[in-house]
Amino acid sequence: MLKKRMKQVVYYTILITLVFIVLYPITWTLGSSFNQGSSLQSTGISPIPDQFSLEQYRKLFTETDYLYWYKNTLKIAIINMMFSVAITSLSAYVFSRYGFKGKKTSMISMLILQIIPSFTGMVAMYIIIWKMGLLDTHLGLIIIYVAGQIPYNTWLVKGYLDTIPRELDAAAKVDGAGNFTTFFKIILPIARPIIVFLAIATFTAPWMDYIFPQLVLKSQKNWTLAVGLFEMIDGEANNAFSQFAAGCTLVAIPFTVFFMLSQKFMTEALGAGAVKS
Amino acid sequence: MSANLEANIQKKKFSLAFIFSILFMGLGHILLGFQAKKIKSQSSKGIKKNVLGLHHLLFIKGIVFICIEVLALINLKALSKGIYDLVTLGTVTGEKIMKNNDHSIFLMAEGLIIFLIVLVIFVIYIYSITDVYKVNKRLNNDKYYIDNDYTFKGVINNMFPYFVLLPVALLIIFFVFFPLLFSCLLAFTNYSMPYHMPPKNLVDWVGIQNFIDMFSLPNWKEAFIGVFSWNVIWAFVATFLNFFVGLLIALMLYDKDIKFTKGFRTIFILPYAIPGMISLLVWRNLLNGQFGPINLSLKAMGIIENSLPFLSDPIMAKVSVILVNLWIGAPYFMLLLTGVLTSISKNLYEAAEIDGASAFQKFTKITLPMVMFATAPLLIMTFSHNFNNFGAVYFLTQGGPDNVFPPGSGAGATDLLITWIFELMNGMQKYNMAAVLSLLVFTLIAPFAIYNFSKTKSFKEGDY
């Protein structure tokens, strides 16, 4: 009994310390976003502000381009998601269901292509985007995102589609369904878990990517959140920390809620599709 | 006798087609098409009306091939200039108006595209010759044959994969394959600040000089060894520390004497749910050497007198990067391992208790092996992810502090290869060395990536 008490004391001490460590940066960010002063220095050591104020949020909306960044990121994320899902699921369907010349070669080349971190091709991407007149446009960034995700995700989705019995589309073909009808009416509904996974993954990627927006988007109004937030606190002075905290809060809250809701679903979909148990 | 003679004449004509197709791509197909049409009219019984004759297909192919060759010949000057530029990387330099200078990098990009186009044309040329050879042979043997695929619908149906994949292939070729190939080539040039930046100066091919420099010049060599060894240590520590802390938390929350586990778990998942970049940038401020609240708090509590250089001392910066990554990464393993723990059969533990095993023995003999077995593939995946974990370092320290290596390489104490490459391209503009490092990273990471893919379903079923 004493041993059990001892164990409980030790465990609870550790767990509560961990709770403190986990919550410290979070409360601190939340707290300073409601602070009156904007620099890191003015926030002091307590995460709870002396005076509750929405000043930082007001400044964020009026003095910075934060709203533009939010809108840009949302726009890029949604368009990227739509095109990625359409293109990747269709090409995965073709790879899963059709035999054609060069299939094996193209599957293996895609495998090799996705090994290298894509930003190592930055110089040439910049030249292409520039020559196409897409520098400082969101379209240029979206094209890079959509193209870049194809190799990996095609493999992933194809793996899932391979588990769907071929008899189903054979039956549909007998009933006179064409290629596209089979895809939309038979395959897509069954493959919904992996499609939703793909949609979530391609929707969330642009929110936190810093490298490509920083390469393509030059004018401040065109930036995405990642670039904007990074630039806000880049440099030693940290004069805008509270604004940065407010900006983070407005991204992190919807993101975290969304993540918590989709988490269980995501792991199940990925587990079913990707890794054979 | 006469039939034999006729066959001989035909054979000769067909081999004429072969020579024609070598001389001018597509001519052979047209010639064969006429032959096929002639044979068809001689033996037209039993051929359905809606079937595309072989000769139609041959005509279509022939015309397409002729068009390609004509286009190539019209643009011969541009094509050869492109190849020439790719070899020389420009010759005009030192002009008063810089606009008149040859821009080596653009010439290289255009030259590479033209080289790829020429390569494709060459492959088509070879294909056309072999195709003529094959059709020729079949015509000689069967006189005339019909394939069911040659109905209008059949041809369209057979082309379906290509219709879908053509735009996809173009996207990948232009925005993934071409950039990577281009940066491979850069590794063999001297494209770098300050002496070889177009349009002011030209860029030249230098062979494997950059690779020699990387491994023999003291400043590069030292930086490479330093960054690489830290990169390996980082990937190991970041992976296994996160794993064991995650396991520890999962075990504590799995203990039957602990209450409120659901509440604890929800709180512990938070770092995993918050976007990583935001957490990293927040931590960067918390750990700030001057005004960081952690320093201020420690001072206020009287634990330290002077601020600790969390991110500006080489050793402390490394520890900070690892610990912040632990804060972000351990919850993932906690989540994962909770699932694994619940799947271990209770019977195993009961049997062990009957045999008088201690708690420690139960952990090392049952829990740990079971957990390791279930998570080994994921550990390898996490390892290769951490090896190239750009964000974990860049958003926290940007690779700094910078003064640990001899000047010139641009590497900092916490730089991984991947952040070093980024810094070389983005800040220092030493594109040649960045490309050398990219090639090295590729060779290092390829075995892990291939392992990861060998775990996927598509790969295992051998159906790809």
Side-chain angles (χ1 to χ4, degrees), chain B residues 221-236:
Chain B
K221 192 173 128 191
E222 207 172 301
F224 178 77
I225 293 171
V227 170
F228 179 68
S229 45
W230 157 241
N231 202 151
V232 173
I233 296 170
W234 148 264
F236 264 106

Side-chain angles (χ1 to χ4, degrees), chain B residues 210-446:
Chain B
N210 296 323
F211 291 85
I212 297 172
D213 285 353
M214 178 65 79
F215 294 110
S216 65
L217 288 186
N219 57 344
W220 285 104
K221 192 173 128 191
E222 207 172 301
F224 178 77
I225 293 171
V227 170
F228 179 68
S229 45
W230 157 241
N231 202 151
V232 173
I233 296 170
W234 148 264
F236 264 106
V237 175
T239 307
F240 285 97
L241 193 65
N242 289 4
F243 172 81
F244 278 109
V245 171
L247 178 62
L248 209 70
I249 301 173
L251 281 172
M252 282 195 286
L253 293 179
Y254 195 60
D255 198 289
K256 54 187 185 301
D257 298 327
I258 298 295
K259 302 274 183 309
F260 318 115
T261 49
K262 208 166 177 201
F264 278 123
R265 229 171 252 143
T266 314
I267 291 173
F268 292 157
I269 291 174
L270 281 174
Y272 180 45
I274 296 169
M277 180 188 171
I278 286 184
S279 315
L280 286 158
L281 291 177
V282 166
W283 272 108
R284 172 172 159 162
N285 281 282
L286 295 179
L287 293 169
N288 184 294
Q290 263 183 298
F291 316 114
I294 294 186
N295 263 323
L296 294 183
S297 308
L298 288 175
K299 271 195 227 169
M301 285 190 276
I303 299 173
I304 52 166
E305 268 186 24
N306 295 319
S307 294
L308 290 173
F310 287 113
L311 299 175
S312 46
D313 172 76
I315 304 287
M316 284 197 84
K318 284 180 182 180
V319 175
S320 304
V321 171
I322 287 175
L323 290 181
V324 170
N325 186 58
L326 177 67
W327 188 88
I328 294 171
Y332 166 71
F333 279 107
M334 178 202 76
L335 210 66
L336 188 81
L337 296 172
T338 308
V340 177
L341 287 178
T342 38
S343 72
I344 299 176
S345 160
K346 294 265 186 303
N347 296 344
L348 282 174
Y349 291 106
E350 280 164 17
E353 259 165 45
I354 292 167
D355 290 343
S358 70
F360 182 72
Q361 275 173 324
K362 274 190 283 182
F363 175 73
T364 52
K365 301 280 176 192
I366 300 173
T367 315
L368 203 55
M370 293 291 270
V371 165
M372 286 304 269
F373 181 74
T375 48
L378 281 169
L379 275 177
I380 293 175
M381 264 187 236
T382 317
F383 180 84
S384 66
H385 167 74
N386 274 330
F387 194 88
N388 278 338
N389 200 336
F390 176 84
V393 169
Y394 193 80
F395 297 136
L396 202 60
T397 65
Q398 281 174 284
D402 275 340
N403 44 13
V404 287
F405 297 116
S409 65
T414 54
D415 255 326
L416 305 177
L417 289 169
I418 199 91
T419 57
W420 190 19
I421 293 171
F422 184 74
E423 203 60 32
L424 281 173
M425 290 209 278
N426 223 28
M428 317 245 322
Q429 300 192 293
K430 292 201 182 295
Y431 298 101
N432 55 344
M433 291 317 230
V436 168
L437 288 173
S438 307
L439 281 175
L440 289 173
V441 168
F442 173 73
T443 32
L444 289 168
I445 209 74

Side-chain angles (χ1 to χ4, degrees), chain A:
Chain A
M1 206 54 208
L2 185 72
K3 209 175 154 192
K4 188 180 154 188
R5 276 265 160 255
M6 284 260 295
K7 186 175 83 179
Q8 276 177 329
V9 170
V10 172
Y11 277 21
Y12 279 123
T13 317
I14 298 175
L15 287 173
I16 288 165
T17 316
L18 287 177
V19 167
F20 175 76
I21 294 174
V22 165
L23 291 183
Y24 178 72
I26 298 170
T27 45
W28 215 84
T29 310
L30 270 174
S32 44
S33 76
F34 294 113
N35 208 318
Q36 195 118 47
S38 40
S39 71
L40 186 59
Q41 211 174 356
S42 70
T43 316
I45 54 173
S46 159
I48 317 297
D50 311 330
Q51 255 186 320
F52 183 86
S53 135
L54 287 173
E55 176 68 8
Q56 297 309 326
Y57 289 93
R58 194 192 61 76
K59 272 191 185 166
L60 192 68
F61 293 147
T62 53
E63 288 172 19
T64 71
D65 289 326
Y66 186 79
L67 284 178
Y68 284 105
W69 302 338
Y70 216 107
K71 206 184 76 199
N72 293 340
T73 315
L74 200 63
K75 179 179 112 187
I76 291 168
I78 289 174
I79 300 177
N80 176 40
M81 176 183 77
M82 292 188 326
F83 277 96
S84 295
V85 167
I87 291 175
T88 307
S89 59
L90 205 55
S91 63
Y93 166 64
V94 167
F95 275 118
S96 170
R97 288 302 198 268
Y98 293 85
F100 53 91
K101 261 187 205 159
K103 177 175 167 180
K104 199 166 176 168
T105 323
S106 33
M107 284 302 282
I108 289 180
S109 1
M110 290 207 299
L111 194 160
I112 294 168
L113 279 181
Q114 66 82 45
I115 293 175
I116 321 166
S118 53
F119 81 74
T120 50
M122 233 162 69
V123 178
M125 276 185 205
Y126 187 84
I127 295 176
I128 292 179
I129 293 289
W130 183 25
K131 293 273 164 179
M132 287 172 80
L134 294 176
L135 217 54
D136 204 19
T137 65
H138 293 144
L139 182 61
L141 187 61
I142 292 167
I143 293 178
I144 290 182
Y145 281 146
V146 172
Q149 58 82 38
I150 294 174
Y152 181 82
N153 285 333
T154 302
W155 268 86
L156 192 74
V157 177
K158 178 189 173 285
Y160 195 94
L161 297 187
D162 285 344
T163 62
I164 301 171
R166 269 143 223 271
E167 289 78 22
L168 284 176
D169 25 329
K173 287 260 166 72
V174 169
D175 290 346
N179 293 311
F180 283 107
T181 323
T182 317
F183 176 64
F184 285 113
K185 294 271 162 71
I186 310 289
I187 302 291
L188 267 194
I190 304 178
R192 219 181 67 194
I194 199 73
I195 300 296
V196 175
F197 175 85
L198 181 66
I200 294 174
T202 47
F203 179 79
T204 49
W207 289 83
M208 287 304 119
D209 179 51
Y210 169 76
I211 296 175
F212 289 119
Q214 171 278 143
L215 177 77
V216 177
L217 308 173
K218 298 297 169 195
S219 51
Q220 199 154 331
K221 278 210 163 75
N222 281 339
W223 281 355
T224 63
L225 278 168
V227 182
L229 288 175
F230 187 83
E231 297 298 326
M232 228 181 217
I233 56 140
D234 197 24
E236 288 304 304
N238 287 306
N239 281 328
F241 181 76
S242 307
Q243 270 172 51
F244 165 79
C248 286
T249 308
L250 291 182
V251 185
I253 287 179
F255 216 86
T256 308
V257 171
F258 178 67
F259 185 91
M260 296 285 217
L261 294 177
S262 63
Q263 172 56 31
K264 194 165 179 262
F265 175 85
M266 294 278 276
T267 33
E268 275 168 14
L270 194 60
V275 182
K276 200 178 184 180
S277 49

Side-chain angles (χ1 to χ4, degrees), chain B residues 81-92:
Chain B
K81 171 137 186 0
I83 303 285
Y84 175 76
D85 286 340
L86 183 62
V87 174
T88 62
L89 293 184
T91 47
V92 183

